[in-house]
Each structure stands twice: as C-alpha cells, then as structure tokens.
Amino acid sequence: MSARWSDRQQAMLREMGVTLWLPPQTDAMPLPEAAMSEPAPAPAPPPVRMSRPAAVSTAPNPPSVPRPLAARPSGVAAMDWLALREAVAGCEACGLCRGRQNTVFGVGHAQAQWMIIGEAPGEQEDRQGEPFVGKAGQLLDNMLRAVGLTRAEAGPEQQVYIANVLKCRPPMNRNPEPQEVAQCEPFLKRQVELVAPKLILAMGRFAVQSILQTGEPIGRLRGRVHAYQGVPVVVTYHPAYLLRNPADKARSWDDLCLAREVLRGGGPAPA
C-alpha cells in the first residue's frame, strides 16, 4: 500500500470520518554530496621549530684565584716602635692575615733586660692580641715570678718584653711554615734591636729553631748559651708543652737558673 493517498481517496476517507495520518512534508533540500561524505582530515598544524638548547659546558670551573699577597713593608730595619707596630698590623706578606682576628705584636718594657720569645699566637692570643695568655700564660707568669720577673708594669730589671716569632695565628694552630717565619723574621729582628735586651729566653721548638737557624731538638740545645743578633740566648720548653708534660718543669727551672746566671755575668759565654 502506498504511503501516499490520492486526493480523491483522502476526500472519501474524510467523509467517512476517518482521520488520516500523513507523513509530514519536508521542504529540506538534499545535502550536497560532499556533506555526506566522510569529513576531510583537518590540515596538519605547521611544524613547531624547537630551539636547540644552549650547549652546557662540561669543563670544570676555573679555580678561584686568590688575591695576590702584598709585599712586606719596606724599611723595617729603620722603624721606631710606632712605625713597627703599624707595619705589623698592616702586613699581608705571608697570607696568614686572611684568617687572623688580631696581630700579636708584643708586650712589656721597651728596654727590658729579659726578652721572652715564643712561637706563634694561638686561638686566645689571636683573639686578645697579646702573647702568652690563658693557662700557658699563667704558667709563664709563675715561672717569671720564681726568678723575680714580671710582665706587669715595672722597671727594666724586673719587667720582661714578650714577643713571638710569628705575629699572626696559623690556621687551626698548625705548625708555622718556613716561608711564614721568614716573612716575620725582620719584625722580630727589629724588636730585638729596639729592646736591646741583655738576655733572650727562647721558648718552644719552633722559636728556638727559628732564632738559632737549626733543626736540632730542644733537648740537645738546653744547658748551653747561644746567641741571636749578638744577644745571649737560653732555650727552654714552651709553657704549653709543660702543661702536657709536667715532669719537664724541673728542666725548665734549670734553664731559668742558667739564664739568671748568664744575666749576672756568671754563666758560660755564648757558643
């Protein structure tokens, strides 16, 4: 049966009271053939140009170049006390200045008869700017009092002048290097010239070996009188060593007695 009714048939059915259902008429135009075909693929996006990453250097970083050291101040041999102290405070010749807090110049009477020479500043000396402080300094004070001397203000017969071979503290209290001792030696030499002591008491291996220019241990140098810049020298142990080795305090007392005899003119002549 046709899905469509003729006009005559539709009229007859209406007369009979039959309601007709007719498919709706559509005025839609057929889609173009292109619309029913599969959609064309979207055009490919233009290629993205990736920038090449910058080359990463695999070479090791160049080592940092330390600031060049300044030369030791000139004219040390002609300096007075004030100029010498200022020269020591500003010296950067050996490099120890990079880690120091203070230079340790020296203390005592400028014309003392006794001059005590130690090794290098330790942590407390570096902090306070004075040689032989702390427990080692207390022991030194006791040793000096035993022979009638003091570092406190007094006359040149009773007061001593105390200095170190090195004026700056080596890192971690390590042993001084030969070039460091060599850079500081003119300062010490000038101090000895200005004080003009009658006797030098050298305390500790590095002080003794630096002053006497020898590699012999203290044990072989004790009991004899040496010389530095024409001044008699008696050697003994450093107070810090005696704190660790109290049995050697008796030997140090013998050294002090020898120094006192030399100062009085009754000891042996310098070797």
PDB file of all heavy atoms in Angstrom, residues 147-173:
ATOM      1  N   VAL A 147     111.896  33.820  89.428  1.00  0.00           N
ATOM      2  CA  VAL A 147     113.230  34.410  89.288  1.00  0.00           C
ATOM      3  C   VAL A 147     113.163  35.929  89.421  1.00  0.00           C
ATOM      4  O   VAL A 147     114.070  36.647  88.960  1.00  0.00           O
ATOM      5  CB  VAL A 147     113.872  34.002  87.939  1.00  0.00           C
ATOM      6  CG1 VAL A 147     114.246  32.538  87.938  1.00  0.00           C
ATOM      7  CG2 VAL A 147     112.956  34.329  86.770  1.00  0.00           C
ATOM      8  N   GLY A 148     112.084  36.428  90.033  1.00  0.00           N
ATOM      9  CA  GLY A 148     111.985  37.857  90.323  1.00  0.00           C
ATOM     10  C   GLY A 148     111.588  38.724  89.156  1.00  0.00           C
ATOM     11  O   GLY A 148     111.894  39.930  89.141  1.00  0.00           O
ATOM     12  N   LEU A 149     110.878  38.173  88.168  1.00  0.00           N
ATOM     13  CA  LEU A 149     110.469  38.940  86.993  1.00  0.00           C
ATOM     14  C   LEU A 149     108.948  39.015  86.908  1.00  0.00           C
ATOM     15  O   LEU A 149     108.222  38.241  87.543  1.00  0.00           O
ATOM     16  CB  LEU A 149     111.024  38.294  85.715  1.00  0.00           C
ATOM     17  CG  LEU A 149     112.549  38.186  85.627  1.00  0.00           C
ATOM     18  CD1 LEU A 149     112.948  37.365  84.402  1.00  0.00           C
ATOM     19  CD2 LEU A 149     113.190  39.578  85.564  1.00  0.00           C
ATOM     20  N   THR A 150     108.453  39.928  86.083  1.00  0.00           N
ATOM     21  CA  THR A 150     107.018  40.095  85.899  1.00  0.00           C
ATOM     22  C   THR A 150     106.754  40.691  84.528  1.00  0.00           C
ATOM     23  O   THR A 150     107.608  41.389  83.968  1.00  0.00           O
ATOM     24  CB  THR A 150     106.423  41.016  86.987  1.00  0.00           C
ATOM     25  OG1 THR A 150     105.017  41.186  86.735  1.00  0.00           O
ATOM     26  CG2 THR A 150     107.087  42.385  86.960  1.00  0.00           C
ATOM     27  N   ARG A 151     105.563  40.421  84.005  1.00  0.00           N
ATOM     28  CA  ARG A 151     105.152  41.099  82.770  1.00  0.00           C
ATOM     29  C   ARG A 151     104.338  42.351  83.103  1.00  0.00           C
ATOM     30  O   ARG A 151     104.002  43.129  82.204  1.00  0.00           O
ATOM     31  CB  ARG A 151     104.351  40.164  81.855  1.00  0.00           C
ATOM     32  CG  ARG A 151     102.933  39.899  82.288  1.00  0.00           C
ATOM     33  CD  ARG A 151     102.113  39.334  81.149  1.00  0.00           C
ATOM     34  NE  ARG A 151     102.320  37.918  80.966  1.00  0.00           N
ATOM     35  CZ  ARG A 151     101.909  37.250  79.880  1.00  0.00           C
ATOM     36  NH1 ARG A 151     101.300  37.886  78.897  1.00  0.00           N
ATOM     37  NH2 ARG A 151     102.111  35.958  79.782  1.00  0.00           N
ATOM     38  N   ALA A 152     104.006  42.525  84.370  1.00  0.00           N
ATOM     39  CA  ALA A 152     103.296  43.719  84.792  1.00  0.00           C
ATOM     40  C   ALA A 152     104.231  44.922  84.726  1.00  0.00           C
ATOM     41  O   ALA A 152     105.453  44.786  84.593  1.00  0.00           O
ATOM     42  CB  ALA A 152     102.758  43.535  86.211  1.00  0.00           C
ATOM     43  N   GLU A 153     103.664  46.104  84.816  1.00  0.00           N
ATOM     44  CA  GLU A 153     104.451  47.329  84.703  1.00  0.00           C
ATOM     45  C   GLU A 153     105.458  47.405  85.837  1.00  0.00           C
ATOM     46  O   GLU A 153     105.110  47.329  87.018  1.00  0.00           O
ATOM     47  CB  GLU A 153     103.530  48.543  84.722  1.00  0.00           C
ATOM     48  CG  GLU A 153     104.254  49.845  84.462  1.00  0.00           C
ATOM     49  CD  GLU A 153     103.316  51.023  84.325  1.00  0.00           C
ATOM     50  OE1 GLU A 153     102.093  50.796  84.253  1.00  0.00           O
ATOM     51  OE2 GLU A 153     103.814  52.161  84.292  1.00  0.00           O
ATOM     52  N   ALA A 154     106.703  47.515  85.472  1.00  0.00           N
ATOM     53  CA  ALA A 154     107.799  47.601  86.455  1.00  0.00           C
ATOM     54  C   ALA A 154     109.014  48.159  85.742  1.00  0.00           C
ATOM     55  O   ALA A 154     108.971  48.524  84.564  1.00  0.00           O
ATOM     56  CB  ALA A 154     108.091  46.217  87.047  1.00  0.00           C
ATOM     57  N   GLY A 155     110.121  48.220  86.451  1.00  0.00           N
ATOM     58  CA  GLY A 155     111.343  48.721  85.849  1.00  0.00           C
ATOM     59  C   GLY A 155     111.956  47.708  84.904  1.00  0.00           C
ATOM     60  O   GLY A 155     111.559  46.526  84.870  1.00  0.00           O
ATOM     61  N   PRO A 156     112.944  48.108  84.097  1.00  0.00           N
ATOM     62  CA  PRO A 156     113.554  47.200  83.120  1.00  0.00           C
ATOM     63  C   PRO A 156     114.265  46.009  83.754  1.00  0.00           C
ATOM     64  O   PRO A 156     114.463  44.992  83.090  1.00  0.00           O
ATOM     65  CB  PRO A 156     114.524  48.096  82.348  1.00  0.00           C
ATOM     66  CG  PRO A 156     114.793  49.256  83.251  1.00  0.00           C
ATOM     67  CD  PRO A 156     113.534  49.458  84.037  1.00  0.00           C
ATOM     68  N   GLU A 157     114.638  46.124  85.042  1.00  0.00           N
ATOM     69  CA  GLU A 157     115.299  44.992  85.695  1.00  0.00           C
ATOM     70  C   GLU A 157     114.320  43.889  86.066  1.00  0.00           C
ATOM     71  O   GLU A 157     114.700  42.718  86.152  1.00  0.00           O
ATOM     72  CB  GLU A 157     116.045  45.457  86.951  1.00  0.00           C
ATOM     73  CG  GLU A 157     117.205  46.399  86.695  1.00  0.00           C
ATOM     74  CD  GLU A 157     116.732  47.844  86.531  1.00  0.00           C
ATOM     75  OE1 GLU A 157     115.535  48.102  86.785  1.00  0.00           O
ATOM     76  OE2 GLU A 157     117.547  48.690  86.129  1.00  0.00           O
ATOM     77  N   GLN A 158     113.066  44.267  86.318  1.00  0.00           N
ATOM     78  CA  GLN A 158     112.067  43.279  86.734  1.00  0.00           C
ATOM     79  C   GLN A 158     111.106  42.892  85.611  1.00  0.00           C
ATOM     80  O   GLN A 158     110.642  41.758  85.541  1.00  0.00           O
ATOM     81  CB  GLN A 158     111.239  43.800  87.918  1.00  0.00           C
ATOM     82  CG  GLN A 158     112.015  43.966  89.212  1.00  0.00           C
ATOM     83  CD  GLN A 158     112.825  45.252  89.230  1.00  0.00           C
ATOM     84  OE1 GLN A 158     112.392  46.272  88.712  1.00  0.00           O
ATOM     85  NE2 GLN A 158     114.008  45.188  89.832  1.00  0.00           N
ATOM     86  N   GLN A 159     110.798  43.841  84.739  1.00  0.00           N
ATOM     87  CA  GLN A 159     109.823  43.561  83.695  1.00  0.00           C
ATOM     88  C   GLN A 159     110.505  42.955  82.480  1.00  0.00           C
ATOM     89  O   GLN A 159     111.653  43.284  82.149  1.00  0.00           O
ATOM     90  CB  GLN A 159     109.070  44.834  83.293  1.00  0.00           C
ATOM     91  CG  GLN A 159     107.833  44.564  82.425  1.00  0.00           C
ATOM     92  CD  GLN A 159     107.061  45.831  82.112  1.00  0.00           C
ATOM     93  OE1 GLN A 159     107.476  46.917  82.487  1.00  0.00           O
ATOM     94  NE2 GLN A 159     105.944  45.692  81.424  1.00  0.00           N
ATOM     95  N   VAL A 160     109.768  42.083  81.800  1.00  0.00           N
ATOM     96  CA  VAL A 160     110.279  41.442  80.592  1.00  0.00           C
ATOM     97  C   VAL A 160     109.554  42.024  79.382  1.00  0.00           C
ATOM     98  O   VAL A 160     108.521  42.685  79.507  1.00  0.00           O
ATOM     99  CB  VAL A 160     110.062  39.910  80.639  1.00  0.00           C
ATOM    100  CG1 VAL A 160     110.813  39.299  81.807  1.00  0.00           C
ATOM    101  CG2 VAL A 160     108.567  39.570  80.713  1.00  0.00           C
ATOM    102  N   TYR A 161     110.126  41.778  78.208  1.00  0.00           N
ATOM    103  CA  TYR A 161     109.427  42.066  76.952  1.00  0.00           C
ATOM    104  C   TYR A 161     109.154  40.730  76.280  1.00  0.00           C
ATOM    105  O   TYR A 161     110.057  39.898  76.139  1.00  0.00           O
ATOM    106  CB  TYR A 161     110.235  42.973  76.025  1.00  0.00           C
ATOM    107  CG  TYR A 161     109.412  43.412  74.823  1.00  0.00           C
ATOM    108  CD1 TYR A 161     108.611  44.545  74.910  1.00  0.00           C
ATOM    109  CD2 TYR A 161     109.402  42.681  73.640  1.00  0.00           C
ATOM    110  CE1 TYR A 161     107.821  44.947  73.837  1.00  0.00           C
ATOM    111  CE2 TYR A 161     108.618  43.072  72.573  1.00  0.00           C
ATOM    112  CZ  TYR A 161     107.834  44.199  72.673  1.00  0.00           C
ATOM    113  OH  TYR A 161     107.039  44.585  71.620  1.00  0.00           O
ATOM    114  N   ILE A 162     107.891  40.519  75.871  1.00  0.00           N
ATOM    115  CA  ILE A 162     107.471  39.220  75.320  1.00  0.00           C
ATOM    116  C   ILE A 162     107.014  39.415  73.878  1.00  0.00           C
ATOM    117  O   ILE A 162     106.202  40.303  73.583  1.00  0.00           O
ATOM    118  CB  ILE A 162     106.320  38.610  76.143  1.00  0.00           C
ATOM    119  CG1 ILE A 162     106.704  38.534  77.624  1.00  0.00           C
ATOM    120  CG2 ILE A 162     105.968  37.231  75.619  1.00  0.00           C
ATOM    121  CD1 ILE A 162     105.581  38.048  78.517  1.00  0.00           C
ATOM    122  N   ALA A 163     107.533  38.587  72.985  1.00  0.00           N
ATOM    123  CA  ALA A 163     107.143  38.622  71.572  1.00  0.00           C
ATOM    124  C   ALA A 163     107.126  37.199  71.032  1.00  0.00           C
ATOM    125  O   ALA A 163     107.619  36.267  71.670  1.00  0.00           O
ATOM    126  CB  ALA A 163     108.102  39.493  70.764  1.00  0.00           C
ATOM    127  N   ASN A 164     106.565  37.059  69.850  1.00  0.00           N
ATOM    128  CA  ASN A 164     106.522  35.768  69.165  1.00  0.00           C
ATOM    129  C   ASN A 164     107.315  35.835  67.866  1.00  0.00           C
ATOM    130  O   ASN A 164     107.475  36.919  67.275  1.00  0.00           O
ATOM    131  CB  ASN A 164     105.088  35.360  68.842  1.00  0.00           C
ATOM    132  CG  ASN A 164     104.351  34.802  70.038  1.00  0.00           C
ATOM    133  OD1 ASN A 164     104.942  34.159  70.905  1.00  0.00           O
ATOM    134  ND2 ASN A 164     103.043  35.027  70.091  1.00  0.00           N
ATOM    135  N   VAL A 165     107.765  34.672  67.417  1.00  0.00           N
ATOM    136  CA  VAL A 165     108.405  34.592  66.104  1.00  0.00           C
ATOM    137  C   VAL A 165     107.418  34.992  65.016  1.00  0.00           C
ATOM    138  O   VAL A 165     107.741  35.771  64.115  1.00  0.00           O
ATOM    139  CB  VAL A 165     108.948  33.171  65.856  1.00  0.00           C
ATOM    140  CG1 VAL A 165     109.408  33.014  64.415  1.00  0.00           C
ATOM    141  CG2 VAL A 165     110.104  32.878  66.807  1.00  0.00           C
ATOM    142  N   LEU A 166     106.173  34.473  65.085  1.00  0.00           N
ATOM    143  CA  LEU A 166     105.114  34.829  64.154  1.00  0.00           C
ATOM    144  C   LEU A 166     104.163  35.812  64.821  1.00  0.00           C
ATOM    145  O   LEU A 166     103.870  35.679  66.013  1.00  0.00           O
ATOM    146  CB  LEU A 166     104.320  33.585  63.712  1.00  0.00           C
ATOM    147  CG  LEU A 166     104.574  33.094  62.282  1.00  0.00           C
ATOM    148  CD1 LEU A 166     106.016  32.691  62.113  1.00  0.00           C
ATOM    149  CD2 LEU A 166     103.646  31.940  61.938  1.00  0.00           C
ATOM    150  N   LYS A 167     103.681  36.759  64.041  1.00  0.00           N
ATOM    151  CA  LYS A 167     102.780  37.768  64.576  1.00  0.00           C
ATOM    152  C   LYS A 167     101.310  37.450  64.292  1.00  0.00           C
ATOM    153  O   LYS A 167     100.431  38.143  64.809  1.00  0.00           O
ATOM    154  CB  LYS A 167     103.099  39.149  63.981  1.00  0.00           C
ATOM    155  CG  LYS A 167     104.577  39.532  64.054  1.00  0.00           C
ATOM    156  CD  LYS A 167     105.135  39.451  65.466  1.00  0.00           C
ATOM    157  CE  LYS A 167     106.586  39.894  65.524  1.00  0.00           C
ATOM    158  NZ  LYS A 167     107.211  39.661  66.838  1.00  0.00           N
ATOM    159  N   CYS A 168     101.039  36.437  63.474  1.00  0.00           N
ATOM    160  CA  CYS A 168      99.668  36.039  63.160  1.00  0.00           C
ATOM    161  C   CYS A 168      99.488  34.551  63.454  1.00  0.00           C
ATOM    162  O   CYS A 168     100.436  33.765  63.326  1.00  0.00           O
ATOM    163  CB  CYS A 168      99.330  36.299  61.689  1.00  0.00           C
ATOM    164  SG  CYS A 168      99.385  38.044  61.224  1.00  0.00           S
ATOM    165  N   ARG A 169      98.278  34.177  63.796  1.00  0.00           N
ATOM    166  CA  ARG A 169      97.986  32.777  64.136  1.00  0.00           C
ATOM    167  C   ARG A 169      97.872  31.919  62.882  1.00  0.00           C
ATOM    168  O   ARG A 169      97.086  32.236  61.982  1.00  0.00           O
ATOM    169  CB  ARG A 169      96.675  32.705  64.911  1.00  0.00           C
ATOM    170  CG  ARG A 169      96.250  31.280  65.256  1.00  0.00           C
ATOM    171  CD  ARG A 169      94.796  31.246  65.661  1.00  0.00           C
ATOM    172  NE  ARG A 169      94.361  29.868  65.932  1.00  0.00           N
ATOM    173  CZ  ARG A 169      93.091  29.491  65.981  1.00  0.00           C
ATOM    174  NH1 ARG A 169      92.130  30.371  65.767  1.00  0.00           N
ATOM    175  NH2 ARG A 169      92.782  28.232  66.232  1.00  0.00           N
ATOM    176  N   PRO A 170      98.599  30.815  62.795  1.00  0.00           N
ATOM    177  CA  PRO A 170      98.389  29.864  61.696  1.00  0.00           C
ATOM    178  C   PRO A 170      97.024  29.186  61.848  1.00  0.00           C
ATOM    179  O   PRO A 170      96.550  28.978  62.971  1.00  0.00           O
ATOM    180  CB  PRO A 170      99.533  28.855  61.863  1.00  0.00           C
ATOM    181  CG  PRO A 170     100.541  29.551  62.720  1.00  0.00           C
ATOM    182  CD  PRO A 170      99.761  30.444  63.623  1.00  0.00           C
ATOM    183  N   PRO A 171      96.368  28.835  60.751  1.00  0.00           N
ATOM    184  CA  PRO A 171      95.048  28.198  60.839  1.00  0.00           C
ATOM    185  C   PRO A 171      95.091  26.919  61.667  1.00  0.00           C
ATOM    186  O   PRO A 171      96.007  26.094  61.530  1.00  0.00           O
ATOM    187  CB  PRO A 171      94.704  27.902  59.374  1.00  0.00           C
ATOM    188  CG  PRO A 171      95.537  28.853  58.578  1.00  0.00           C
ATOM    189  CD  PRO A 171      96.794  29.040  59.353  1.00  0.00           C
ATOM    190  N   MET A 172      94.091  26.764  62.526  1.00  0.00           N
ATOM    191  CA  MET A 172      93.944  25.565  63.362  1.00  0.00           C
ATOM    192  C   MET A 172      95.187  25.294  64.199  1.00  0.00           C
ATOM    193  O   MET A 172      95.476  24.164  64.571  1.00  0.00           O
ATOM    194  CB  MET A 172      93.623  24.347  62.487  1.00  0.00           C
ATOM    195  CG  MET A 172      92.403  24.517  61.593  1.00  0.00           C
ATOM    196  SD  MET A 172      90.905  24.878  62.523  1.00  0.00           S
ATOM    197  CE  MET A 172      90.688  23.325  63.392  1.00  0.00           C
ATOM    198  N   ASN A 173      95.947  26.359  64.497  1.00  0.00           N
ATOM    199  CA  ASN A 173      97.153  26.241  65.326  1.00  0.00           C
ATOM    200  C   ASN A 173      98.185  25.270  64.744  1.00  0.00           C
ATOM    201  O   ASN A 173      98.950  24.639  65.485  1.00  0.00           O
ATOM    202  CB  ASN A 173      96.799  25.806  66.754  1.00  0.00           C
ATOM    203  CG  ASN A 173      96.064  26.903  67.514  1.00  0.00           C
ATOM    204  OD1 ASN A 173      96.005  28.039  67.086  1.00  0.00           O
ATOM    205  ND2 ASN A 173      95.496  26.536  68.651  1.00  0.00           N
TER     206      ASN A 173
END
